[in-house]
């Protein structure tokens, strides 16, 4: 074989191999859903139970093996329709965890009041979970404590009571879309709903990109992620599209415990922090690293939609 042909063959092999060498590690994501059984306003004709049915159907259709639903038990005061949400969740084979009784904010309460609210939530969890383990806690507002002293006391309480903290690495504030969606549906404004859908998907895609960038900046590698979602009416529309988007980006869905087995999730209440934000955001701030660029906050625009 002549030299010219050998060189051409070698060049072709290098071009073929390059995409493999540059390929990203698989994106593993544990999906979690907050504020069960009641979150946000409903559009006309939709019930809490129907929201749960549609959300669960979307997860099942996408082959999601587990979605922890984090419970504010005070929502059960809304009656049978709210209670049915938790029943449906368990019938689907998905677990429930503690999101504190009335979505109580640790940053607005002393430790004693906060831990009492954690305990108050357990009555419902024991009822619906039976012998299954419910000892995962998601801090409302992702507020883990304003000071190291407060974080240490709460961390000790949670450890003594068998809890693990359900951290978050992926979030795009999906809850912001529920109120404008309900308003738009009440007005029958499908053009505005289409705008909401596109903005939601754009921000979801951005969240995936930023989460991976932050992990590589902090740890030099991809990590298993935990995504925060909320059980709102707009999720009944958007979940199929969101899950398809994630799969198109190579995501596989894993249980929460599997994701949080990674060492990055080991609790460290002494890390420099004001106790706000997701795990990667807090870690970036504690290391004085430049925050990743985000698109503008959609809240001002969303507040005007369908007014």
């Amino acid at each position: 074989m002549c030299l010219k042909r050998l060189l051409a063959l070698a060049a072709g092999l290098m071009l073929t191999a390059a995409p493999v060498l540059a390929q990203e590690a698989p994106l593993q994501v544990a999906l979690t859903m907050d504020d069960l059984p009641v979150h946000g306003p409903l559009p006309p004709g939709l019930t809490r139970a129907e929201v749960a049915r549609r959300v669960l159907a979307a997860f099942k259709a996408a082959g999601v093996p587990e979605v922890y639903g984090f419970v504010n038990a005070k929502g059960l005061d809304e009656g049978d329709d709210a209670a049915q949400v938790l029943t449906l969740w368990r019938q689907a084979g998905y677990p429930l965890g503690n999101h504190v009784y009335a979505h109580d904010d640790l940053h607005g309460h002393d430790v004693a009041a906060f831990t009492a609210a954690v305990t108050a939530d357990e009555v419902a969890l024991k009822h619906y979970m039976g012998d299954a383990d419910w000892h995962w806690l998601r801090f409302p507002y992702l507020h883990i404590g304003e000071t190291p002293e407060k974080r240490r006391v709460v961390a000790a309480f949670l450890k003594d009571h068998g809890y693990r903290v359900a951290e978050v690495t992926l979030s795009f504030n999906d809850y912001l879309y529920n109120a404008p969606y309900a308003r738009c549906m009440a007005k029958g404004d499908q053009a505005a709903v289409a705008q909401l859908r596109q903005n939601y998907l754009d921000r979801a895609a951005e969240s995936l990109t930023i989460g991976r960038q932050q992990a590589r900046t902090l740890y030099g590698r991809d990590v298993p992620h935990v995504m925060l979602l909320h059980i709102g009416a707009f999720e009944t529309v958007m979940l199929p599209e969101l899950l398809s988007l994630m799969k198109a980006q190579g995501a596989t869905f894993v249980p929460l415990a599997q994701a949080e087995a990674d060492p990055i999730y080991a609790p460290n209440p002494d890390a420099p922090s004001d106790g706000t934000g997701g795990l990667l955001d807090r870690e970036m701030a504690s290391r004085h690293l430049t925050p990743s660029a985000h698109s503008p906050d959609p809240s001002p625009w969303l507040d005007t939609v369908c007014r």
Side-chain angles (χ1 to χ4, degrees), residues 37-55:
V38 172
H39 172 79
L42 294 171
L46 192 63
T47 66
R48 300 293 177 189
E50 186 59 26
V51 167
R53 288 190 189 93
R54 295 183 190 182
V55 162

Side-chain angles (χ1 to χ4, degrees), residues 82-211:
Q84 195 174 357
V85 170
L86 303 189
T87 299
L88 290 166
W89 206 265
R90 294 298 296 132
Q91 288 174 346
Y94 288 161
L96 300 170
N98 198 322
H99 196 33
V100 192
Y101 180 76
H103 207 267
D104 306 79
D105 185 354
L106 174 57
H107 289 193
H109 295 80
D110 61 28
V111 169
F114 178 79
T115 55
V118 170
T119 302
D121 210 48
E122 294 178 354
V123 176
L125 294 173
K126 291 174 182 176
H127 174 75
Y128 288 96
M129 287 291 285
D131 294 333
D133 186 26
W134 41 265
H135 288 87
W136 283 90
L137 181 123
R138 167 70 47 74
F139 283 99
Y141 308 103
L142 303 184
H143 286 172
I144 66 169
E146 312 95 309
T147 64
E149 294 76 17
K150 197 171 189 178
R151 292 195 289 274
R152 281 195 293 267
V153 175
V154 172
F157 167 87
L158 295 176
K159 182 178 180 180
D160 288 346
H161 289 76
Y163 279 101
R164 292 182 64 184
V165 174
E167 288 282 9
V168 171
T169 62
L170 300 174
S171 174
F172 54 99
N173 293 337
D174 65 309
Y175 68 90
L176 292 172
Y177 296 83
N178 286 307
Y181 172 66
R183 294 194 302 266
C184 292
M185 291 301 289
K187 288 188 172 184
D189 191 340
Q190 291 301 320
V193 171
Q195 290 182 313
L196 294 175
R197 291 168 72 119
Q198 188 58 57
N199 190 264
Y200 176 109
L201 289 173
D202 289 345
R203 289 182 58 80
E206 178 185 76
S207 173
L208 294 170
T209 299
I210 289 175

Side-chain angles (χ1 to χ4, degrees), residues 8 60 75 80 88 159 164 166 194 231 277 286 307:
K60 292 294 184 178
D80 292 343
L88 290 166
K159 182 178 180 180
R164 292 182 64 184
I231 191 165
S286 74
R307 288 292 186 182

